[in-house]
Amino acid sequence: MALCSVEQVKQLALTSITTCIADSDKCGKPVTLEHSFVGSALYVKWVCDSGHVSNTWCSQPILNRRLHSGDFRLAMAIVTSGNNFGKIEMLGKHLNLKMLSRTSFFQIQGHYIVPTIDDFWKDHQTRVLDSIRNKEIVVLGDGRNDSPGYCAQYCTYTLMDSETKKILTIKTVDKRETDGKSPRMETEGFRRAMSDLLQKGINVKEVVTDAHTGIGAVMKGTYPALSHSHDIWHAAKNLSKKLTKLGSLRKHAALQKWTKDIVNHFWFTCRTATDHRQFVELLRGVLHHITGDHEWALGCCQHGELSDSDRNKPWLDAREDSDTIKELANILLHPRLLSKVKHYLNFRSTADLEVFHQHILMYCAKRYAYTPPVYRIRNVLAALDHNFHLGRSVKTKPDGQIQYHRCFNKKSGRWTVFPVKEEKDYSYLKDLTLQALLKRMQDRRGMKRSRDLEDADPRRIARTIMGQAPPPTAQLAAEQVSRFSGTPAFSSN
Ligand SMILES: [Zn+2]
Ligand SMILES: [Zn+2]
């Protein structure tokens, strides 16, 4: 496809026909060109003085039921590139480029694009799941809200295969499906994603999430046979916060210099320990180490020779700083922390999933209202993009070094670094677009008919997320006018 100005097209048109070729009365008069637009398509007509039409031409092929293929392709590309109609419509206005109408866009999206992407994902998911069917799978799980905290309308819950990094399932939950309570969406999403995988016969043996309490309860109650690991990074960050708080008290200030070492030791412990007893023993060791005691009655430090900077750091004094050491022991050996040890022993991380969740932003812009089906397929598009582009090779600098890219996740506050890969080719979009076109070509009823809400559409629960229908606009306007003019909206007489 190409961008053509109407004048250029007309110049070209005049090279084909210059005089009237209507054969009724061998007219032969010179023709002029008339043009018009239908959606994004340009029509050119060769007309003479007597009103004979020698030829008409359209800039786009026409699909069944007179739908212009350019309109269809444009609607498809707006969605698959993660754009919004309003933005592209604005682009058209600024460029004086004809666009399909808003109505056509939403009809095409609803009737053809949404169901095609759903089907495409179903096929893709089946293939991905078939490829791991005979293995025991460790899944990484995390939820992403469309906006922070209590005002979120949607939550996306994703389960990723920890080995291949493929998205295995992705579920979106609407606030209306959890009684209007945003914080419950993540648990509901987890439930749906898990039952999707298990129903499809995937042999999940371990689930890795952050320490979300709702999800912990589902794992205990519904999936007691599966192991549940926590993202170590979250646990380490929690510990770091507690240590920093303790060290900020003047009498425990000696701890400040050790906070980082203690957190590192926590990482080491998670990586090394294979059972609860060993974990506690290893972790406890740091209480000796920070006093300069590297061999004690029941154990010893695992580090080799200490570096100069380590040696020159002032050790805590077992007697003078005994309060600090006691408080530190309270944190490290706190029953709540120790009750979680089983979640740390496999030493897992959900960082890869966070990077994917950042990527969803490309398909679902914030501050833009999507209907539940459109929100769903936009998340699915992100998952397809991720899965199809996993195998790309890593980009290297001229000197052969790998280039890295960093990614910040707001929810966890974590920076993740990953290698920059070769450009994406989006080759799957060809198939996807073809399937959408086929869906249209096979449609004998056209798209002007209204669409029923899907059975599971949350709008069946409540029309808006406020849980009740909004007041009519006219009423709101009247109230606002009266508020500013100072006259009461409802007078008593
Ligand atoms: Zn004529
Ligand atoms: Zn030591």
Side-chain angles (χ1 to χ4, degrees):
M1 286 193 222
L3 197 58
C4 301
S5 74
V6 173
E7 285 316 308
Q8 294 295 114
V9 172
K10 281 184 167 178
Q11 274 184 29
L12 177 67
L14 280 177
T15 63
S16 64
I17 303 170
T18 50
T19 53
C20 182
I21 52 169
D23 46 21
S24 51
D25 43 6
K26 299 266 181 305
C27 168
K29 282 183 184 166
V31 292
T32 51
L33 294 169
E34 285 175 7
H35 76 268
S36 57
F37 299 100
V38 178
S40 61
L42 167 69
Y43 275 82
V44 177
K45 241 200 263 188
W46 287 253
V47 197
C48 80
D49 261 7
S50 312
H52 301 134
V53 178
S54 295
N55 193 17
T56 56
W57 173 87
C58 174
S59 64
Q60 295 174 11
I62 293 172
L63 306 174
N64 59 328
R65 303 181 67 89
R66 304 209 50 77
L67 179 64
H68 290 89
S69 69
D71 282 2
F72 190 88
R73 296 286 305 273
L74 187 53
M76 186 74 187
I78 288 173
V79 178
T80 58
S81 62
N83 274 295
N84 294 322
F85 180 77
K87 283 262 176 199
I88 299 297
E89 189 185 34
M90 182 73 86
L91 176 99
K93 267 195 187 123
H94 287 210
L95 189 57
N96 197 18
L97 175 70
K98 297 297 169 195
M99 286 285 163
L100 79 168
S101 71
R102 180 170 283 268
T103 314
S104 306
F105 171 77
F106 284 105
Q107 283 170 341
I108 294 170
Q109 178 176 261
H111 282 292
Y112 313 113
I113 298 179
V114 167
T116 303
I117 293 174
D118 277 333
D119 290 349
F120 196 84
W121 169 254
K122 232 182 266 165
D123 284 354
H124 172 77
Q125 191 199 22
T126 306
R127 270 197 303 278
V128 170
L129 296 187
D130 281 347
S131 71
I132 56 164
R133 206 167 285 285
N134 299 320
K135 289 192 251 174
E136 286 189 320
I137 301 297
V138 178
V139 290
L140 314 179
D142 196 19
R144 174 193 175 271
N145 285 354
D146 65 335
S147 50
Y150 284 84
C151 49
Q153 187 191 345
Y154 294 116
C155 175
T156 305
Y157 205 93
T158 314
L159 290 177
M160 178 187 264
D161 176 10
S162 79
E163 199 186 315
T164 62
K165 311 293 182 215
K166 284 212 164 145
I167 308 290
L168 303 179
T169 182
I170 181 162
K171 296 284 175 197
T172 47
V173 181
D174 184 297
K175 197 175 172 173
R176 283 167 285 198
E177 296 170 293
T178 53
D179 296 331
K181 296 188 177 70
S182 298
R184 274 180 40 200
M185 292 195 293
E186 183 161 346
T187 312
E188 180 56 26
F190 173 73
R191 221 189 281 274
R192 288 184 197 177
M194 278 301 283
S195 61
D196 185 36
L197 286 195
L198 297 176
Q199 270 169 19
K200 287 173 179 154
I202 297 307
N203 188 2
V204 177
K205 69 157 186 194
E206 182 184 345
V207 178
V208 187
T209 67
D210 57 15
H212 191 285
T213 41
I215 288 170
V218 175
M219 284 303 294
K220 234 191 225 163
T222 316
Y223 307 114
L226 307 186
S227 13
H228 185 200
S229 295
H230 286 177
D231 179 63
I232 298 298
W233 191 88
H234 277 92
K237 193 179 137 192
N238 271 341
L239 176 62
S240 170
K241 263 194 214 153
K242 288 199 183 99
L243 298 178
T244 309
K245 196 173 154 202
L246 183 62
S248 68
L249 301 174
R250 188 185 293 168
K251 56 179 174 173
H252 301 307
L255 192 66
Q256 282 172 18
K257 280 199 174 70
W258 288 97
T259 302
K260 219 176 152 192
D261 299 79
I262 297 167
V263 174
N264 282 343
H265 182 72
F266 176 78
W267 276 100
F268 166 79
T269 305
C270 293
R271 192 170 60 235
T272 314
T274 52
D275 61 39
H276 189 278
R277 202 181 57 89
Q278 194 189 7
F279 187 100
V280 178
E281 259 170 33
L282 271 175
L283 191 63
R284 192 201 295 272
V286 81
L287 295 168
H288 293 275
H289 174 83
I290 58 173
T291 63
D293 175 14
H294 309 291
E295 269 189 62
W296 52 96
L298 290 168
C300 64
C301 287
Q302 308 261 326
H303 54 74
E305 192 87 358
L306 286 169
S307 72
D308 284 349
S309 68
D310 279 336
R311 249 182 322 203
N312 293 336
K313 190 148 51 181
W315 302 105
L316 266 66
D317 188 305
R319 262 169 303 170
E320 252 175 64
D321 298 315
S322 67
D323 269 1
T324 303
I325 294 166
K326 216 168 94 194
E327 288 298 321
L328 176 62
N330 268 342
I331 292 177
L332 291 179
L333 305 174
H334 195 282
R336 188 155 353 106
L337 192 150
L338 296 189
S339 74
K340 288 182 185 160
V341 166
K342 58 179 179 293
H343 302 303
Y344 302 149
L345 292 173
N346 290 346
F347 193 63
R348 305 281 190 192
S349 156
T350 56
D352 290 305
L353 193 47
E354 280 177 15
V355 174
F356 165 69
H357 276 173
Q358 290 300 105
H359 183 52
I360 292 179
L361 267 179
M362 176 185 143
Y363 290 93
C364 305
K366 284 194 175 157
R367 301 166 175 277
Y368 195 88
Y370 300 103
T371 60
V374 171
Y375 193 74
R376 177 183 69 231
I377 56 128
R378 281 177 176 261
N379 277 271
V380 162
L381 280 173
L384 287 168
D385 180 338
H386 173 91
N387 281 0
F388 274 100
H389 292 128
L390 269 173
R392 284 174 300 147
S393 47
V394 170
K395 240 184 187 170
T396 48
K397 293 185 201 164
D399 63 359
Q401 278 192 11
I402 294 173
Q403 258 175 280
Y404 286 96
H405 186 81
R406 61 175 188 223
C407 174
F408 183 72
N409 184 284
K410 238 189 188 162
K411 183 182 165 199
S412 68
R414 156 163 53 190
W415 282 101
T416 305
V417 176
F418 54 94
V420 177
K421 295 192 172 170
E422 295 297 337
E423 292 283 307
K424 295 178 176 179
D425 61 9
Y426 295 98
S427 52
Y428 58 97
L429 285 182
K430 216 171 149 186
D431 280 344
L432 187 64
T433 305
L434 201 66
Q435 288 182 20
L437 274 166
L438 266 173
K439 203 164 232 79
R440 162 67 196 190
M441 301 300 279
Q442 286 159 358
D443 182 4
R444 298 173 175 280
R445 288 181 297 161
M447 61 190 198
K448 298 245 157 37
R449 69 203 142 93
S450 65
R451 270 166 291 124
D452 289 337
L453 291 185
E454 296 165 6
D455 288 341
D457 193 307
R459 286 170 294 178
R460 286 183 184 272
I461 303 169
R463 247 187 74 212
T464 69
I465 43 167
M466 270 99 78
Q468 52 186 357
T473 310
Q475 183 192 324
L476 290 172
E479 282 171 15
Q480 191 169 321
V481 168
S482 74
R483 216 172 291 140
F484 281 101
S485 61
T487 50
F490 303 105
S491 145
S492 54
N493 38 357

